Amino acid sequence: MSAVSVGPFPRPAVAVDLVILTVVDTDLKVLLITRGLPPQERSWALPGGFVRVGEGGTGGESLEAAAARELAEETGLGEGAVFLEQLYTYGAPDRDPRGRVISVAWYALVPSDRVTQVVAGSDAAAARWFSLGGGSLPPLAFDHAQILGDAVRRVQGKIDYAPVAFRLVPEQFTVPELRAVYEAVKGTDYDAANFRRRFRRMVEDGLIVPAPGKRPAEVGRPARVWRWAEG
Amino acid sequence: MSAVSVGPFPRPAVAVDLVILTVVDTDLKVLLITRGLPPQERSWALPGGFVRVGEGGTGGESLEAAAARELAEETGLGEGAVFLEQLYTYGAPDRDPRGRVISVAWYALVPSDRVTQVVAGSDAAAARWFSLGGGSLPPLAFDHAQILGDAVRRVQGKIDYAPVAFRLVPEQFTVPELRAVYEAVKGTDYDAANFRRRFRRMVEDGLIVPAPGKRPAEVGRPARVWRWAEG
DNA sequence: AGAATAGTGTCTATCAGACACTATGCA
DNA sequence: TGCATAGTGTCTGATAGACACTATTCT
């Protein structure tokens, strides 16, 4: 009775799609998979899947749990290891040729030192990191190009006022590494001296603390190592 | 066949809920309705309704169309008359006792001079504007208190960098009226002189143009009238 | 010593907060 | 003339951009 009381109207399918981002060297990258099934078989797409709902239309997993589950299946990265935040919900009636599919999109930020273990743990037929910018992205299935663009704009905006850059570097990082993340995300160069000043204020505010050791450089003077102070 | 190919899995119901905000005098207000049906009959709630999906699980209205439709039904305000933007999607498995209901929440900003026509056009049994702050809000149904809080925080953040304040004042407005909107939204006072300086820069950038006439004040010196330059 | 990168100091323009001040309309 | 509100000018401290400079490591 309880499930029936929301009415006998037709219901859409509800999916989650993931924009999984990282920065390697000076490049912002996104993890894409090749679809193994129709429709749009063999075209590149964002990883995702349907939200699990209990029999009778009650219970099941939360949206965040569905996103975290897909993320773990796709990357092998466990809960809490990466930043995961809801982006936007896409529901145009014709966005999926199979019928009415509403997609709750999420974006994830993967630290650069975990990128190597990601593709290995993937259970997709094929998963690959693609650089954004430079026009090297393949055509994407459904409305995934739109979703990807929205995710990138969200991170670009958020990096200026929220501590998201730290989710893209290893736990221990140097100032030039952090600056490279900003430059990759925003697509512009930052003056090294001015960036350091902003960074120094974060140190003074206790947001960042020194970590032991220095980073041996391939060439030039080694950099000091730092660590984000919060959990 | 096409609708079936997304699988025979149980599907959630999908709804839209609306946080309809306005500023009257110095108060930020939200439009709430009393639920005419169980569950939580007679408790106050955000206006909302289910997204219409075609028979066979294809087609139907977009999420934005569903939100705009509910807004029009609830307030009598036509398309494009008010600012409407997606907020967040709520999907905890137990958020609705009737079963699995995923809600795509939107928020709307109603200009203060349209507030009077709003309640008249409502088709709800009872609809009322409630002031936020001052603790005068009634308990809300489901997770609507959470949604309302998220909406207010979104507007508070967005007013600093996006032209949303102009969606809360009449087409023609004075600087003190605009300042009152900022103060109501942010919950803090603004120095009148410094606010004017920010405002003057927007005039210099062509974002705001003078409108004819002055606003006759009840008391004191009348204020000049301005108009937002865009669409 | 020289090359390469890490890190510092400083000048300047811009902007926000604080606040003293002037202008206008009305009783 | 006095009151209430609209609107201006200016001082100060914080911050971002530009850029010249010093420091450390390796070959």
Side-chain angles (χ1 to χ4, degrees), chain B residues 1-26:
Chain B
M1 118 148 207
S2 64
V4 172
S5 68
V6 297
F9 311 112
R11 296 175 173 198
V14 176
V16 290
D17 282 314
L18 290 173
V19 181
I20 305 172
L21 299 170
T22 195
V23 171
V24 178
D25 294 327
T26 60

Side-chain angles (χ1 to χ4, degrees), chain B residues 185-198:
Chain B
V185 168
K186 301 281 272 191
T188 58
D189 284 353
Y190 281 67
D191 181 280
N194 296 333
F195 185 88
R196 273 200 131 70
R197 188 174 40 200
R198 282 173 57 181

